Every structure is written in structure tokens, then in C-alpha cells.
Amino acid sequence: MHVSPLVPLFATAGGAGSVVLQLATVDYLILALYFIFVIAIGWVIRRSMKTSKDFFESGRSLPAWICALGFIGANLGAQEVMGMAASGAKYGIATSHFYWVGAIPAMVFVGIFMMPFYYGSKARSVPEYLKLRFDEKTRTFNALSFAVMTVFSSGISMFALAKLLNAILGWNFDACIIFSSLIVLIYIYSGGLTSAIYNEVLQFFLIVLGFLPLVILGLQDIGGWSGLMHNLDAYSATKGMPGAWSSSWSHMGNATANPIGIEWFGLVAGLGFVLSFGYWCTDFLVIQRAMAAKDMNAARRTPLIAAIPKMMFPALVILPGMLAIALYHKGGTAGIALPMGTDGNPDYNMVVPAMLAKYFPNGMLGIGLTALMASFMSGMAGNVTAFNTVWTYDLYQRWVNPDSSDAHLIKVGRVTTVVGLIISACCAYAAAKFNNIMDMLQLVFGFVNAPLFAIFLLGMFWRRATGHGAFFGLLLGTLSAAIFQGRTLPIGETAGLLKGGWLGVQHTFVSSMAQNFWMAIFAFSGCFLGTLFISLATKPNRTNDELRGLVYSLTEKPKDEHGAAWYARPMPLGLLVLACTLVLNIIFW
């Protein structure tokens, strides 16, 4: 049914606060054009997919700026767009810590210090690097845990998309999951990693185009930045935390004084060190984009260039959530309604759809929905391409068919893409247990990335670390995470495998996010100490010659091109990015 652009598109149906969008023909045309373009990219690139290296690694031929946008685009999935907006509503401006503490420093570190190991070793995946540095069993353990993590992450994107389309358009939830899987399947099946990266570049610009007007209109409506701060302060007062939604650091002295429910040490150690470095330095999903660069300098600059727009992204993805909760509190005709979750709180995952419904007329609504679709496709595609590379190289080729031909590996990669999407669809239903998908995502990262970062830190900077130490350290770290999660529970939650407390509740946290941060600290510590002591008790299994290029002290340091401009050299570029991030933290203190 056509709706006049002048008629508000926000309505309630099926219960108070339900979000309903009524699309006109122009909106469906915009969505259709996007899907056609995405599929076309895959089919065009298919012609150049001649070897497994082309399919899985893009032939290591892409320029730094394309890789950088792919690097940030792979991370700009539904978890970020809907999850960070949900967190902006649930936790306020403190959500910016996920960027200025929990992303930028780690991105600079991976560009300056870690990319030389990854790119220089010519490893095709992060698990393959672990094989070269430690041994085969460590590689296999990581490949299996990473495969589980990627399908869970892809499942979160599927759930978010299906929930969105089901809630705002009334489409069948199961049909939405099948539809989104088919679109991603077609373009990855055809064009592999190159197709995924070029689509991530497209999706990056679509998300900016779709969300920037939303932020501008929301700020105009609430009275600018001062109006937003006034309404957030009024809302935070009703929660017994005056000013906590409008400042990032000043309420971090006590866990009960801020909505995240954590003090500064847990934030810096859990998010700023363990989870952020664990994700950006070891997650093959993002590392794969940098490894597709044409040379070492381009690979090192990839995360540094990506960090520049990344530090500005809170304005695009967190601000809509802050605006939504401020408008929700304001109420009246100028306010906004949000559907309620089963826990009696607003369903924060519906923040972005509610904002689209309030502010976007037809045409703009199609662009906004296309931006959301782009985030979902980006998240799914990024995880699935990483999954098929790790499964094909690190599990199938190693344990099933070591002598497989190049053509056979491409076939296996395509079949793995199908299987990965099917498993992801199953994982999508687990995400329904959380009213903020970022909570579930950080839970998964705490189990996989936190212990993994510990062995990377020791492996890259301590030549004495051994294969046995790394393998059993990973086991201890994962076990530490499981025990910690099993003995703790967020306040107001029911004990279970996803929320925790299944071994008996010994400690409660103000929020799921606080529980996740501390779980990551315990997982990292368990793995670090386990690897350290077991390595000291076992014989080294790699000689210095074998460790050359894999350990910092035995690796020739990359040299910048003589006479290159400062922005073409990783170190000056990295220092500038860190300085800008420090300034942002001070401004929004």
C-alpha cells in the first residue's frame, strides 16, 4: 500500500510500542536494486576466480584503501549497527568505550606490530600461523573454536535481520533467515573473498548514507546536543544514576554508578586489553582483509586507515540509540515508542527500526532499510568467508585430504559456504535469548578470543613458548571462561547455559556486559599463566631458525620506503590516530 511521504510512518500494532513500517513501491525498488547489484558483483568477479588463492585470499592484490574499507566493513555488521545502537540506548555514551578504548588502540597495535608476522609468514589464516609458531594440535584447536565463533556471529546477524523484517514488515521469521542466507550464498559462492570485500566497501558507504540523515533529524528534533544531554540526564536520574548516560569516564569509579555495571579497571583490562586486542589481533575475519593487500606496507596501513573512520563511527551507530532512549523518556507526540522485552525493559534491539519509522519518509525509508540490510549482509558474509577459509585450509586439507588439488579446494570452499550458512541459521535462534545482541557477541568473544590473545602475546614476543604450553594453555583459558560464566549471573537473569550460573551462582553482576568483561579477564589470565608455566616445564619444539619471521626478536623489522610521506608510513600514522583517540576520550569524559 502506498503511503504519502508526508504521513508519519510510525505506528503501533500487535501491542504497545510495536514498530511497523509501511513501504511504498520506491522503497522496494531501492531494496531490489541493492540485491541485484550485490549479486552482480559476485558474478562479475567469478570470471577471475582461477585458483584457490584467488577465492580465499583475493590473490593478495588489493590496494590499502580497499582493504581498509573491507577491514572496517567486515566489522560493520548487524552486531555493530543494531548492537551498538541498542547499547547506546541501554548504556548511554559509555558505549563509546567499545571504540575509543576497545578498538582503536588494538587496531594501531595490529597494524604496527602484528601484521609483519601475519603477512610476512605467508600464512593463509590465523590458525596456520599458529601451526608455524607452535604445532599442529594448537592450530586445530583454534580452527575448531574459531569456526564455532564465526557461525555464532553470522547467526547473530541472521537473527537481527529476521527479527527486523518480521517486526516491521510482518514477514515470516523463518523465511527471512532463508532469504538472507540465499543472497549471501550467491555472491560468496561466486566471487569468494574478493566479492565479499568489494561488497563490504559498498556497504560501508550505504551505511553512512543511510544513518547520517537519521542522526541529523534526531538531533534537530530533540533540540541539538544540549537538548539530548538534558533529556539523557533526566532519564538517568530515573535510574538512580544521575549523569551516567551523558558521560563516558566520570562515573566509572564505581560499578553501581554507571549502566554498564563495571568499574574502570574491569573496563580497561576486560574490554580495552583482553577483548579488544583479542578480537583485532587474532580474529581471522578482520585479519583476512589486511592479508589481501598487495604488499607489506599496504597490509600494515590497512588497520590504521580503517581506524580513522572507525573513531568517528559512534556518531553514526551509538548516537541513534542515545537519541531513541532520550525520546522514549521524553514521551508525548515528540517521543518515540519502543516494544517491551520479556524482562520488562525496552527491546533495545528495535531502536534503529523505531528511529527509521519516526523520521524517514518513503524513498529515504528504502535507503535506510538498505543500509540495515547492508550491515546484515556484511556481517554474515565476513564470517562465512573466514569460516570457509579456515575450514578448507586448516581442517579439511590438513586432516581429510592433504593431497587435494587447487580446483578441489575451491569446490570444498563453496560447499563449506553452504554448510556454514545452514549452521549459522541454527545459531540465529540462540540469539533470541538476549535483548542486546552485543551482550551475546561479547560472550562468544570471551570464550574464543580472550584465551587466544594470551598465546599470541606470548608466542610473538617470547621465543621460549612451546607447542604443549600453547595447546594446554588454550584449554585452561577456555575452561576458566566456562567455570567463571557457570558460577556468575547478571542480576535479574535466570541461570542457564547462555546467561551463566549453571554451576551455581557465587557472584552477580549489574549487567551481562560486566560479566563478559570479567570473564574475558579470567580466560586470558588462565591461558597466559597456563602457557607460561607449561612452556617452562616442556622442551622448546621450534629452533631459532624455524621461529625467524614468527617471533618479534628474531624478525627483521619492516622499513618504510625512503622519502615516503608521513601518511604512507605506519608509525607516524598510528601515533596520529592514537593522539586523536585520546582527545576524543578527554572531550567526552
Side-chain angles (χ1 to χ4, degrees), residues 313-331:
F313 258 63
L316 277 182
V317 296
I318 296 176
L319 210 46
M322 294 167 59
L323 287 164
I325 205 67
L327 289 165
Y328 172 78
H329 172 72
K330 187 176 183 180

Side-chain angles (χ1 to χ4, degrees), residues 348-369:
Y348 301 109
N349 289 326
M350 294 304 294
V351 158
V352 172
M355 292 288 284
L356 289 176
K358 180 173 176 65
Y359 290 114
F360 277 15
N362 292 121
M364 279 301 295
L365 189 59
I367 294 173
L369 273 179

Side-chain angles (χ1 to χ4, degrees), residues 143 152 181 255 280-281 339 457 471 494:
F152 261 101
S181 300
W280 292 102
C281 297
L457 201 62
F471 177 74
T494 304

Side-chain angles (χ1 to χ4, degrees), residues 214-355:
L214 194 66
V215 171
I216 293 170
L217 291 171
L219 281 173
Q220 284 182 337
D221 195 22
I222 206 166
W225 184 257
S226 59
L228 172 63
M229 292 298 103
H230 172 76
N231 282 279
L232 283 177
D233 287 341
Y235 175 74
S236 60
T238 66
K239 296 292 184 179
M241 301 177 185
W245 263 258
S246 57
S247 62
S248 61
W249 282 103
S250 59
H251 292 78
M252 286 293 163
N254 191 308
T256 60
N258 63 82
I260 296 182
I262 198 163
E263 72 297 330
W264 68 269
F265 177 80
L267 177 79
V268 173
L271 174 64
F273 181 62
V274 177
L275 282 172
S276 71
F277 279 72
Y279 175 75
W280 292 102
C281 297
T282 70
D283 193 322
F284 184 56
L285 166 64
V286 289
I287 297 296
Q288 187 184 32
R289 272 73 190 151
M291 288 172 69
K294 62 182 180 179
D295 55 39
M296 175 70 81
N297 183 270
R300 295 181 72 201
R301 286 187 295 122
T302 290
L304 303 177
I305 295 171
I308 297 171
K310 183 75 173 177
M311 74 174 74
M312 303 300 174
F313 258 63
L316 277 182
V317 296
I318 296 176
L319 210 46
M322 294 167 59
L323 287 164
I325 205 67
L327 289 165
Y328 172 78
H329 172 72
K330 187 176 183 180
T333 55
I336 194 170
L338 290 172
M340 301 301 290
T342 55
D343 59 358
N345 291 312
D347 186 349
Y348 301 109
N349 289 326
M350 294 304 294
V351 158
V352 172
M355 292 288 284

